[in-house]
Amino acid sequence: DYNIMLTQWIQLRQGKLNFKIESFPVQELFNYMKEKSTSFSMKNIQLQVEPSADVVKADRVLTLFMLNTLADNAKKFTPEHGTVTIYSQSGPDYVELSVKDTGCGMSETQCTHIFDHKSIIDQDGALDQVQSHGFGLMNCKGIIEKYKKMNALFQVCSIGVESVVGKGSRFFF
């Protein structure tokens, strides 16, 4: 499944894949994410996926790709006995999906540049030698930018991060 998602993302970047926009329950994707709990428990991290009644209008595969990317990053930067939580919340014209962790967190400077097109460098020593190239986050940002160009309906689309060093992070779109 992950390879299929990556292949479709490459095709999208090359202009060979169109978005398949449809309305679907967020819970369908959350059920898939729950199936990944074994990879979290192997690292002694608890994965919590909160139930959702929200329905989104989006590309199902690319939405799953973004959720999966954020969850994998959260797992990478969360120490043993930590928690990663996936949930949604809705407003009048949007549904926001979030991945929150109790990991190492990031500084304000790191948050400001987290979606930049460059390797993520741990300048504050908070990541304990965990390295990342940031390609997954760049891809997520690219998907959001493509949504915004597609239709006025998607102008509310955004991706962001909130974080506190030593307490964790929340990535959302």
Side-chain angles (χ1 to χ4, degrees):
D1 289 343
Y2 194 67
N3 285 340
I4 290 169
M5 287 187 290
L6 287 174
T7 299
Q8 290 178 330
W9 169 246
I10 291 167
Q11 291 172 338
L12 177 69
R13 295 285 292 177
Q14 295 173 341
K16 297 177 182 174
L17 178 72
N18 293 317
F19 281 85
K20 182 180 178 192
I21 304 299
E22 59 185 322
S23 293
F24 58 91
V26 170
Q27 189 62 47
E28 289 179 6
L29 302 184
F30 284 10
N31 290 342
Y32 177 81
M33 297 305 294
K34 281 186 203 176
E35 293 175 13
K36 295 183 60 151
S37 65
T38 303
S39 69
F40 284 81
S41 60
M42 287 175 59
K43 198 176 170 197
N44 289 322
I45 296 172
Q46 181 182 13
L47 175 64
Q48 296 177 341
V49 182
E50 296 181 4
S52 175
D54 291 324
V55 174
V56 296
K57 187 173 192 107
D59 183 293
R60 186 185 314 249
V61 172
L62 293 177
T63 303
L64 181 58
F65 171 83
M66 290 190 292
L67 265 180
N68 193 55
T69 297
L70 298 179
D72 281 347
N73 284 350
K75 180 175 61 175
K76 185 188 305 184
F77 293 104
T78 300
E80 277 191 294
H81 310 294
T83 303
V84 173
T85 306
I86 299 172
Y87 62 96
S88 70
Q89 53 194 25
S90 58
D93 60 349
Y94 71 92
V95 173
E96 181 180 274
L97 305 182
S98 294
V99 177
K100 182 178 177 181
D101 65 59
T102 59
C104 57
M106 296 178 291
S107 69
E108 189 175 322
T109 301
Q110 288 171 312
C111 288
T112 301
H113 298 288
I114 194 75
F115 296 104
D116 291 352
H117 186 193
K118 62 181 179 178
S119 296
I120 298 169
I121 300 167
D122 177 17
Q123 298 172 345
D124 300 330
L127 300 181
D128 290 333
Q129 308 300 326
V130 177
Q131 295 181 336
S132 176
H133 295 287
F135 293 124
L137 292 178
M138 288 185 309
N139 287 340
C140 290
K141 180 182 175 187
I143 291 169
I144 295 298
E145 288 172 355
K146 292 242 185 223
Y147 269 114
K148 291 178 86 155
K149 292 177 184 176
M150 185 183 344
N151 187 306
L153 171 70
F154 297 113
Q155 289 305 303
V156 298
C157 290
S158 66
I159 188 165
V161 62
E162 299 169 342
S163 189
V164 176
V165 173
K167 299 211 181 224
S169 302
R170 180 179 81 96
F171 283 84
F172 53 91
F173 64 94

